[in-house]
Amino acid sequence: MNENGKVVTALLAGVAVGALLGMLFAPEKGSETRDKINDSLADLGDAIKERAEEQFDQINELKEKLVATLKSKVSKIEAAIDDEIEEHA
């Protein structure tokens, strides 16, 4: 995970913990507090899922670039080998 990913993950975790503590110490009925905690956890889950999808997309883009670069280099090497074979034939 790159540095930005670590920062975002830490930020999301901090926000979740802060929201959870704030709700736990708020003077409300237990059922209301549980509902808020459930909503917050659902939001956190959505944020984590979105971030994971972004990271997955970045990994796929990197993979595609690497494959394209390797194919290009292999083609150049094959062409160079073919040229050498023709030269010595």
Side-chain angles (χ1 to χ4, degrees):
M1 181 182 289
N2 63 21
E3 199 63 31
N4 289 338
K6 290 178 183 178
V7 170
V8 170
T9 302
L11 180 64
L12 288 173
V15 167
V17 169
L20 182 63
L21 289 174
M23 285 184 274
L24 287 174
F25 290 107
E28 293 180 342
K29 292 169 74 176
S31 61
E32 291 176 8
T33 301
R34 284 190 297 276
D35 288 343
K36 284 185 177 184
I37 290 171
N38 285 335
D39 291 343
S40 293
L41 290 175
D43 291 343
L44 177 62
D46 291 342
I48 290 171
K49 182 179 176 184
E50 183 179 314
R51 183 66 182 156
E53 288 172 354
E54 290 172 4
Q55 292 292 320
F56 185 72
D57 289 343
Q58 288 179 354
I59 289 170
N60 277 335
E61 288 176 18
L62 178 60
K63 178 195 74 159
E64 289 173 8
K65 287 179 184 177
L66 289 172
V67 167
T69 300
L70 288 173
K71 284 182 179 179
S72 173
K73 291 186 185 271
V74 166
S75 294
K76 288 178 184 178
I77 291 170
E78 286 175 341
I81 290 171
D82 289 343
D83 290 344
E84 286 295 321
I85 289 172
E86 287 179 13
E87 219 175 86
H88 290 91

